[in-house]
Short mmCIF file of all heavy atoms in Angstrom, two decimals:
data_model
loop_
_atom_site.label_atom_id
_atom_site.label_comp_id
_atom_site.label_asym_id
_atom_site.label_seq_id
_atom_site.Cartn_x
_atom_site.Cartn_y
_atom_site.Cartn_z
N PHE A 67 30.09 -19.31 4.74
CA PHE A 67 29.19 -19.46 5.88
C PHE A 67 27.98 -20.28 5.42
O PHE A 67 27.23 -19.86 4.54
CB PHE A 67 28.73 -18.09 6.39
CG PHE A 67 29.76 -17.36 7.19
CD1 PHE A 67 30.84 -16.74 6.57
CD2 PHE A 67 29.68 -17.30 8.58
CE1 PHE A 67 31.81 -16.07 7.30
CE2 PHE A 67 30.64 -16.63 9.33
CZ PHE A 67 31.72 -16.02 8.70
N ALA A 68 27.80 -21.44 6.04
CA ALA A 68 26.68 -22.33 5.67
C ALA A 68 25.43 -21.89 6.42
O ALA A 68 25.15 -22.37 7.53
CB ALA A 68 27.04 -23.77 5.99
N LEU A 69 24.70 -20.95 5.82
CA LEU A 69 23.51 -20.42 6.48
C LEU A 69 22.38 -21.44 6.46
O LEU A 69 22.22 -22.21 5.51
CB LEU A 69 23.06 -19.13 5.80
CG LEU A 69 24.06 -17.97 5.80
CD1 LEU A 69 23.40 -16.71 5.24
CD2 LEU A 69 24.63 -17.71 7.18
N VAL A 70 21.60 -21.42 7.53
CA VAL A 70 20.47 -22.33 7.68
C VAL A 70 19.21 -21.50 7.87
O VAL A 70 19.15 -20.63 8.74
CB VAL A 70 20.66 -23.26 8.89
CG1 VAL A 70 19.47 -24.21 9.04
CG2 VAL A 70 21.96 -24.05 8.76
N GLY A 71 18.19 -21.74 7.02
CA GLY A 71 16.92 -21.02 7.12
C GLY A 71 15.78 -21.98 7.34
O GLY A 71 15.97 -23.19 7.51
N THR A 72 14.57 -21.43 7.29
CA THR A 72 13.39 -22.25 7.51
C THR A 72 13.32 -23.41 6.54
O THR A 72 12.97 -24.52 6.90
CB THR A 72 12.12 -21.39 7.36
OG1 THR A 72 12.23 -20.24 8.20
CG2 THR A 72 10.87 -22.17 7.77
N ASN A 73 13.68 -23.13 5.29
CA ASN A 73 13.59 -24.19 4.28
C ASN A 73 14.83 -24.28 3.41
O ASN A 73 14.76 -24.65 2.25
CB ASN A 73 12.35 -23.98 3.40
CG ASN A 73 11.12 -24.58 4.03
OD1 ASN A 73 10.91 -25.79 3.98
ND2 ASN A 73 10.32 -23.74 4.67
N HIS A 74 15.96 -23.90 3.95
CA HIS A 74 17.21 -24.12 3.21
C HIS A 74 18.34 -24.39 4.20
O HIS A 74 18.32 -23.89 5.32
CB HIS A 74 17.55 -22.92 2.31
CG HIS A 74 17.95 -21.69 3.07
ND1 HIS A 74 17.05 -20.73 3.46
CD2 HIS A 74 19.16 -21.28 3.53
CE1 HIS A 74 17.67 -19.77 4.11
NE2 HIS A 74 18.95 -20.08 4.17
N ASP A 75 19.27 -25.18 3.79
CA ASP A 75 20.41 -25.53 4.63
C ASP A 75 21.62 -25.69 3.72
O ASP A 75 21.72 -26.65 2.96
CB ASP A 75 20.13 -26.82 5.39
CG ASP A 75 21.25 -27.16 6.38
OD1 ASP A 75 22.32 -26.54 6.30
OD2 ASP A 75 21.04 -28.07 7.22
N ALA A 76 22.52 -24.73 3.77
CA ALA A 76 23.67 -24.72 2.86
C ALA A 76 24.66 -25.84 3.15
O ALA A 76 25.56 -26.09 2.34
CB ALA A 76 24.38 -23.37 2.92
N HIS A 77 24.51 -26.54 4.26
CA HIS A 77 25.44 -27.64 4.57
C HIS A 77 25.40 -28.73 3.49
O HIS A 77 26.40 -29.44 3.28
CB HIS A 77 25.12 -28.25 5.93
CG HIS A 77 25.42 -27.35 7.08
ND1 HIS A 77 24.61 -26.30 7.45
CD2 HIS A 77 26.48 -27.32 7.94
CE1 HIS A 77 25.14 -25.67 8.48
NE2 HIS A 77 26.27 -26.27 8.81
N ILE A 78 24.27 -28.86 2.81
CA ILE A 78 24.16 -29.93 1.80
C ILE A 78 25.01 -29.64 0.57
O ILE A 78 25.22 -30.53 -0.26
CB ILE A 78 22.69 -30.17 1.40
CG1 ILE A 78 22.11 -28.94 0.68
CG2 ILE A 78 21.84 -30.54 2.60
CD1 ILE A 78 20.69 -29.14 0.18
N TYR A 79 25.51 -28.41 0.44
CA TYR A 79 26.31 -28.06 -0.74
C TYR A 79 27.82 -28.06 -0.45
O TYR A 79 28.61 -27.75 -1.34
CB TYR A 79 25.91 -26.67 -1.25
CG TYR A 79 24.43 -26.53 -1.50
CD1 TYR A 79 23.68 -25.58 -0.82
CD2 TYR A 79 23.77 -27.37 -2.40
CE1 TYR A 79 22.31 -25.46 -1.05
CE2 TYR A 79 22.41 -27.25 -2.62
CZ TYR A 79 21.69 -26.29 -1.94
OH TYR A 79 20.34 -26.19 -2.15
N LEU A 80 28.20 -28.40 0.78
CA LEU A 80 29.62 -28.26 1.15
C LEU A 80 30.53 -29.21 0.36
O LEU A 80 31.64 -28.84 -0.01
CB LEU A 80 29.79 -28.49 2.65
CG LEU A 80 29.01 -27.53 3.57
CD1 LEU A 80 29.50 -27.65 5.00
CD2 LEU A 80 29.13 -26.08 3.10
N LYS A 81 30.05 -30.40 0.10
CA LYS A 81 30.87 -31.35 -0.66
C LYS A 81 31.18 -30.80 -2.04
O LYS A 81 32.34 -30.87 -2.52
CB LYS A 81 30.14 -32.69 -0.78
CG LYS A 81 30.95 -33.77 -1.48
CD LYS A 81 30.20 -35.10 -1.51
CE LYS A 81 31.02 -36.17 -2.23
NZ LYS A 81 30.28 -37.47 -2.26
N ASP A 82 30.17 -30.21 -2.70
CA ASP A 82 30.38 -29.61 -4.03
C ASP A 82 31.37 -28.45 -3.94
O ASP A 82 32.22 -28.28 -4.82
CB ASP A 82 29.07 -29.12 -4.61
CG ASP A 82 28.14 -30.27 -4.99
OD1 ASP A 82 28.64 -31.41 -5.13
OD2 ASP A 82 26.93 -30.03 -5.13
N LEU A 83 31.25 -27.63 -2.89
CA LEU A 83 32.14 -26.48 -2.74
C LEU A 83 33.59 -26.93 -2.52
O LEU A 83 34.52 -26.31 -3.04
CB LEU A 83 31.67 -25.61 -1.57
CG LEU A 83 30.43 -24.75 -1.87
CD1 LEU A 83 29.81 -24.23 -0.58
CD2 LEU A 83 30.81 -23.57 -2.77
N ILE A 84 33.77 -27.98 -1.76
CA ILE A 84 35.12 -28.51 -1.57
C ILE A 84 35.70 -28.94 -2.91
O ILE A 84 36.88 -28.71 -3.21
CB ILE A 84 35.11 -29.67 -0.55
CG1 ILE A 84 34.78 -29.13 0.85
CG2 ILE A 84 36.45 -30.40 -0.53
CD1 ILE A 84 34.52 -30.20 1.89
N GLY A 85 34.84 -29.55 -3.74
CA GLY A 85 35.27 -29.96 -5.07
C GLY A 85 35.67 -28.79 -5.94
O GLY A 85 36.46 -28.93 -6.88
N LYS A 86 35.14 -27.59 -5.64
CA LYS A 86 35.46 -26.38 -6.41
C LYS A 86 36.65 -25.62 -5.82
O LYS A 86 36.99 -24.55 -6.31
CB LYS A 86 34.24 -25.46 -6.47
CG LYS A 86 33.07 -26.05 -7.25
CD LYS A 86 31.86 -25.14 -7.16
CE LYS A 86 30.66 -25.76 -7.90
NZ LYS A 86 29.42 -24.95 -7.77
N GLY A 87 37.22 -26.16 -4.74
CA GLY A 87 38.43 -25.54 -4.19
C GLY A 87 38.25 -24.77 -2.90
O GLY A 87 39.22 -24.26 -2.34
N VAL A 88 37.02 -24.62 -2.40
CA VAL A 88 36.81 -23.92 -1.14
C VAL A 88 37.32 -24.80 0.00
O VAL A 88 37.05 -26.00 0.05
CB VAL A 88 35.31 -23.57 -0.93
CG1 VAL A 88 35.12 -22.83 0.38
CG2 VAL A 88 34.80 -22.73 -2.11
N ARG A 89 38.07 -24.19 0.93
CA ARG A 89 38.69 -24.98 2.00
C ARG A 89 38.29 -24.52 3.40
O ARG A 89 38.58 -25.21 4.38
CB ARG A 89 40.22 -24.90 1.87
CG ARG A 89 40.76 -25.65 0.66
CD ARG A 89 40.56 -27.16 0.83
NE ARG A 89 40.93 -27.93 -0.36
CZ ARG A 89 40.09 -28.28 -1.32
NH1 ARG A 89 38.82 -27.92 -1.25
NH2 ARG A 89 40.50 -28.98 -2.36
N ASN A 90 37.63 -23.39 3.53
CA ASN A 90 37.34 -22.84 4.86
C ASN A 90 35.85 -22.58 5.02
O ASN A 90 35.26 -21.86 4.21
CB ASN A 90 38.14 -21.55 5.08
CG ASN A 90 39.64 -21.79 4.95
OD1 ASN A 90 40.21 -22.58 5.69
ND2 ASN A 90 40.27 -21.12 4.00
N PHE A 91 35.27 -23.16 6.08
CA PHE A 91 33.82 -23.10 6.27
C PHE A 91 33.47 -22.78 7.72
O PHE A 91 34.13 -23.26 8.65
CB PHE A 91 33.18 -24.45 5.91
CG PHE A 91 33.38 -24.87 4.49
CD1 PHE A 91 34.50 -25.61 4.11
CD2 PHE A 91 32.45 -24.54 3.51
CE1 PHE A 91 34.69 -26.01 2.81
CE2 PHE A 91 32.64 -24.93 2.19
CZ PHE A 91 33.76 -25.68 1.84
N VAL A 92 32.40 -21.98 7.88
CA VAL A 92 31.78 -21.80 9.20
C VAL A 92 30.46 -22.55 9.15
O VAL A 92 29.61 -22.28 8.29
CB VAL A 92 31.57 -20.31 9.52
CG1 VAL A 92 30.87 -20.15 10.88
CG2 VAL A 92 32.90 -19.57 9.53
N VAL A 93 30.28 -23.51 10.06
CA VAL A 93 29.16 -24.44 9.98
C VAL A 93 28.54 -24.64 11.36
O VAL A 93 29.13 -24.30 12.38
CB VAL A 93 29.63 -25.81 9.43
CG1 VAL A 93 30.14 -25.68 8.01
CG2 VAL A 93 30.70 -26.41 10.34
N THR A 94 27.34 -25.23 11.38
CA THR A 94 26.75 -25.65 12.66
C THR A 94 27.10 -27.09 12.97
O THR A 94 27.00 -27.53 14.11
CB THR A 94 25.21 -25.51 12.63
OG1 THR A 94 24.69 -26.33 11.56
CG2 THR A 94 24.80 -24.06 12.40
N HIS A 95 27.51 -27.83 11.95
CA HIS A 95 27.98 -29.22 12.12
C HIS A 95 28.79 -29.60 10.89
O HIS A 95 28.65 -28.99 9.83
CB HIS A 95 26.79 -30.18 12.29
CG HIS A 95 25.92 -30.26 11.07
ND1 HIS A 95 24.94 -29.32 10.80
CD2 HIS A 95 25.89 -31.14 10.02
CE1 HIS A 95 24.34 -29.62 9.67
NE2 HIS A 95 24.89 -30.72 9.17
N ILE A 96 29.65 -30.57 11.04
CA ILE A 96 30.47 -31.05 9.91
C ILE A 96 29.76 -32.24 9.29
O ILE A 96 29.55 -33.26 9.95
CB ILE A 96 31.88 -31.45 10.37
CG1 ILE A 96 32.57 -30.27 11.08
CG2 ILE A 96 32.71 -31.90 9.18
CD1 ILE A 96 33.91 -30.62 11.69
N PRO A 97 29.36 -32.13 8.02
CA PRO A 97 28.68 -33.27 7.38
C PRO A 97 29.56 -34.52 7.37
O PRO A 97 30.80 -34.43 7.28
CB PRO A 97 28.42 -32.76 5.95
CG PRO A 97 28.41 -31.26 6.08
CD PRO A 97 29.43 -30.96 7.14
N ASP A 98 28.94 -35.67 7.46
CA ASP A 98 29.66 -36.94 7.48
C ASP A 98 30.59 -37.08 6.28
O ASP A 98 30.21 -36.78 5.14
CB ASP A 98 28.67 -38.12 7.49
CG ASP A 98 27.89 -38.20 8.79
OD1 ASP A 98 28.33 -37.58 9.77
OD2 ASP A 98 26.84 -38.87 8.81
N GLY A 99 31.79 -37.54 6.56
CA GLY A 99 32.74 -37.82 5.50
C GLY A 99 33.57 -36.63 5.06
O GLY A 99 34.47 -36.78 4.22
N LEU A 100 33.31 -35.45 5.61
CA LEU A 100 34.04 -34.26 5.16
C LEU A 100 35.06 -33.77 6.19
O LEU A 100 35.78 -32.80 5.93
CB LEU A 100 33.05 -33.12 4.86
CG LEU A 100 32.01 -33.37 3.77
CD1 LEU A 100 31.19 -32.11 3.51
CD2 LEU A 100 32.68 -33.83 2.47
N GLU A 101 35.13 -34.43 7.36
CA GLU A 101 35.96 -33.93 8.45
C GLU A 101 37.40 -33.67 8.04
O GLU A 101 38.02 -32.68 8.46
CB GLU A 101 35.95 -34.95 9.62
CG GLU A 101 34.61 -35.11 10.29
CD GLU A 101 33.76 -36.19 9.63
OE1 GLU A 101 34.11 -36.60 8.50
OE2 GLU A 101 32.75 -36.61 10.23
#
Side-chain angles (χ1 to χ4, degrees):
F67 283 76
L69 299 187
V70 180
T72 307
N73 275 282
H74 70 268
D75 185 348
H77 291 78
I78 65 177
Y79 307 120
L80 300 193
K81 184 177 179 180
D82 291 342
L83 284 164
I84 292 171
K86 294 175 182 176
V88 180
R89 290 292 174 267
N90 301 300
F91 299 89
V92 178
V93 296
T94 60
H95 64 278
I96 303 174
D98 292 343
L100 300 185
E101 294 89 346

